[in-house]
Amino acid sequence: MKIRRALLSVSDKTGLVEFARELSAMGVEIISTGGTAALLKKEKVPSVEVSSFTGFPEILDGRVKTLHPKIHGGLLYLRGNKAHEAEAEQNGIRPIDLVVVNLYPFEQTVAKPGVTLEEAIENIDIGGPSMLRSAAKNYRSVTVVVDPADYADVLENIRANDGATTLKLRERLGIKVFVTTSNYDSAIANYFNQEQETTCTFSVTLPIAARLRYGENPHQQAALYGDFDEHFQKLHGKELSFNNILDISAATELIEEFSEPTVAILKHTNPCGVASDPDLKAAWDKAFATDKQAPFGGIIICNRTLTEALAKAIGEIFSEVIIAPDFEPEARVLLQKKKNLRLMRKIEPPARTSEPLPDIRSVLGGLLVQDPDAGMGELENLEGKVVTKRPPTLDEMKAMIFGWRVVKHVKSNAIVYAAKNRTLGIGAGQMSRIDASRIAIWKAKDAGLSLAGSAVASDAFFPFSDGLIAAAEAGATCAIQPGGSVRDKEVIATADERGLAMVFTGVRHFRH
């Protein structure tokens, strides 16, 4: 369909002037509104204001400007349909062949601290989604652009097709519109659900990122949705599996707890060794020493450029995935000798002002939705959260903090024994807390690591004294836990009897 007339009305004006100037040079008549019209006038790009096109003024502070039959009729009438064409001519409706609209920044607005309900409401776009949907519904005849990133493709397509666009392009852009407006409506609904405390529905729409070979098991179909590829770049290795992606996500959440140089090893989303050291190879040695069996076929992540020395050490075992913000060239050469090993570069995604996705779990008949377990604000002013007669030493405090950062990422019931910069024993996913502690002690003993002077971290409160007694007998001299048990006084008394220092964080980190 040849482009003769275009309507431009955008909030994000990135690349707009150049795009409009190219259209004008091709002989396309441009209709524009509000700020878009003002910008084009300033840049001396010819355009007709929408009020002149419709013969009706913008009213109600601009709330009504494009909601007019000459706009939506020009978008929606079926080209080639004689009845439609006659009715359009009878009512003075001229075709609009190209629509370029992006929406008021609702998500960015509500993400700002202190935003009012009135500000949020004023950033709900009405005319924009209406024009987009009208144009996308009639994609066989109308080209619709919702993303500035598509400007170049549209111009190239017009040049290559003698002033027209192809149906294939219009189809792709039309689908993108419905995904965008669906996301936009979901963001508005979710905001009001939360703001008004009258939750009635929950919805999320994400673009497909990849169809996976299979799911958690080979008989399960699976796909990945969202912008995962904006967070990671695969540098080498096989296609990522469903389980790889789960592990990569878990590893990234864990490593983000640490600002100092740190290496973590995970298996089935559980940490099996974590350590910090200015020398990444030394950090690896300490993390690997926690458990030398579990890392086989596991995930390794570090938060600094992966060095050649670390690559040599890692190369001695079989790993599924290695993640780092970057790799030294020599390290890549070494690791890429393993053809199936996936090397993932963790990249900073484009700046976003919207809230992170909620944690969503499927259950029989529906979904559970919760806020992510983000942040570790409870680690502030730990000195004021000591509940025992003896306060911890500086090294004990560092060990408790290290263990607490790790235990948050271990499946419940979770126990971690830690020194000030490393894990010593990890017990994960047990039905009783004492069993988790026993496993952590056994793992440390099996690895030849002493727990003397260690800190014990528990993701939830010790319901009885037995878990704390077992930790003390294993060599722990301090403990960090949320507190909140009806037997807290008994547990504190047990700690005092054995000379342990203990901190109550007041925050639980269950991970089911």
Side-chain angles (χ1 to χ4, degrees):
M1 305 299 297
K2 189 159 282 195
I3 307 297
R4 294 163 293 176
R5 185 173 294 108
L7 193 158
L8 279 56
S9 178
V10 297
S11 174
D12 178 0
K13 296 177 176 57
T14 304
L16 176 73
V17 172
E18 296 80 2
F19 182 67
R21 191 168 279 131
E22 288 281 338
L23 290 175
S24 183
M26 295 175 183
V28 176
E29 179 189 0
I30 295 174
I31 309 162
S32 58
T33 68
T36 303
L39 176 62
L40 295 180
K41 183 177 180 181
K42 177 185 173 185
E43 296 293 333
K44 297 182 171 53
V45 179
S47 71
V48 176
E49 290 215 33
V50 72
S51 56
S52 298
F53 182 78
T54 61
F56 196 91
E58 296 185 13
I59 61 172
L60 305 178
D61 295 323
R63 284 190 170 204
V64 177
K65 50 192 173 187
T66 57
L67 298 171
H68 193 279
K70 286 191 176 181
I71 299 296
H72 288 274
L75 295 173
L76 282 165
Y77 86 79
L78 295 174
R79 278 63 161 172
N81 182 307
K82 292 182 179 179
H84 279 208
E85 290 180 343
E87 198 169 349
E89 185 175 357
Q90 180 184 346
N91 288 281
I93 292 173
R94 292 177 285 171
I96 299 172
D97 311 301
L98 170 64
V99 175
V100 181
V101 171
N102 51 61
L103 306 176
Y104 293 171
F106 180 82
E107 288 183 273
Q108 293 90 331
T109 298
V110 298
K112 293 175 184 175
V115 67
T116 65
L117 180 61
E118 289 70 24
E119 288 174 304
I121 289 171
E122 286 307 309
N123 276 276
I124 298 174
D125 203 326
I126 302 300
S130 300
M131 287 188 290
L132 287 172
R133 290 175 64 85
S134 291
K137 177 175 179 175
N138 203 18
Y139 72 87
R140 290 188 179 91
S141 300
V142 180
T143 307
V144 56
V145 183
V146 71
D147 184 353
D150 291 316
Y151 290 169
D153 284 351
V154 171
L155 290 173
E156 183 181 346
N157 200 264
I158 293 172
R159 292 190 199 101
N161 293 281
D162 192 26
T165 57
T166 62
L167 178 60
K168 184 177 181 181
L169 176 71
R170 296 195 300 276
E171 284 176 338
R172 177 173 71 81
L173 295 177
I175 292 168
K176 193 169 188 176
V177 161
F178 288 117
V179 171
T180 301
T181 56
S182 175
N183 287 339
Y184 193 75
D185 288 341
S186 294
I188 295 168
N190 290 338
Y191 169 77
F192 278 104
N193 276 340
Q194 183 179 32
E195 182 68 20
Q196 305 292 0
E197 297 182 356
T198 54
T199 300
C200 54
T201 62
F202 172 81
S203 61
V204 60
T205 304
L206 297 171
I208 189 163
R211 296 200 182 278
L212 306 176
R213 285 182 298 157
Y214 52 82
E216 203 162 8
N217 298 290
H219 62 275
Q220 295 171 264
Q221 293 185 348
L224 171 66
Y225 297 87
D227 62 0
F228 182 85
D229 59 344
E230 292 185 16
H231 298 260
F232 301 95
Q233 177 188 12
K234 186 160 75 70
L235 302 176
H236 175 75
K238 289 195 306 185
E239 175 188 345
L240 293 175
S241 71
F242 183 96
N243 294 335
N244 289 154
I245 293 167
L246 285 176
D247 284 329
I248 290 168
S249 181
T252 302
E253 289 176 2
L254 168 60
I255 208 71
E256 286 178 353
E257 304 287 0
F258 297 90
S259 57
E260 60 272 32
T262 301
V263 175
I265 311 164
L266 292 90
K267 189 74 171 288
H268 303 312
T269 74
N270 270 313
C272 45
V274 185
S276 300
D277 195 284
D279 179 353
L280 279 185
K281 166 61 167 56
W284 159 261
D285 289 339
K286 288 184 282 191
F288 184 53
T290 307
D291 189 335
K292 294 186 177 180
Q293 295 176 328
F296 184 85
I299 309 294
I300 299 166
I301 188 168
C302 61
N303 58 2
R304 296 291 191 277
T305 297
L306 198 144
T307 62
E308 181 182 12
L310 179 53
K312 286 179 179 177
I314 291 174
E316 294 176 4
I317 68 167
F318 165 63
S319 303
E320 288 276 356
V321 183
I322 299 174
I323 313 158
D326 212 342
F327 296 77
E328 288 184 355
E330 299 82 1
R332 278 189 66 174
V333 169
L334 278 171
L335 295 171
Q336 285 177 343
K337 289 179 181 177
K338 302 191 175 200
K339 130 178 125 168
N340 292 331
L341 172 62
R342 292 106 166 156
L343 299 185
M344 304 295 294
R345 187 168 73 88
K346 174 72 176 74
I347 55 181
E348 290 301 319
R352 296 182 187 278
T353 55
S354 57
E355 292 294 315
L357 284 173
D359 181 12
I360 303 170
R361 316 272 186 97
S362 60
V363 294
L364 286 175
L367 299 172
L368 283 172
V369 182
Q370 64 174 354
D371 294 334
D373 185 10
M376 295 287 277
E378 66 269 23
L379 291 178
E380 296 175 9
N381 188 31
L382 272 190
E383 293 83 357
K385 299 173 182 175
V386 177
V387 295
T388 48
K389 294 176 182 176
R390 182 177 78 80
T393 66
L394 179 60
D395 279 352
E396 285 177 330
M397 186 66 81
K398 289 179 179 177
M400 286 192 291
I401 290 172
F402 192 94
W404 189 247
R405 292 187 187 281
V406 175
V407 79
K408 173 185 173 184
H409 298 272
V410 180
K411 291 290 195 304
S412 298
N413 286 312
I415 293 288
V416 170
Y417 287 86
K420 64 181 180 180
N421 59 6
R422 63 181 293 181
T423 52
L424 299 168
I426 300 174
Q430 296 306 301
M431 288 68 76
S432 73
R433 197 154 299 279
I434 186 65
D435 283 345
S437 184
R438 285 170 179 151
I439 288 172
I441 294 166
W442 165 66
K443 294 293 270 185
K445 183 178 179 181
D446 193 56
L449 298 175
S450 171
L451 296 181
S454 65
V456 61
S458 174
D459 66 327
F461 59 67
F462 285 106
F464 303 99
S465 296
D466 54 358
L468 197 64
I469 292 169
E473 290 176 349
T477 59
C478 56
I480 184 168
Q481 59 144 317
S485 169
V486 294
R487 293 185 176 83
D488 275 349
K489 288 184 180 178
E490 176 188 325
V491 174
I492 293 169
T494 299
D496 284 335
E497 287 169 11
R498 294 177 176 263
L500 271 68
M502 186 159 63
V503 166
F504 280 4
T505 65
V507 177
R508 188 181 74 185
H509 288 297
F510 268 167
R511 183 169 289 254
H512 281 74

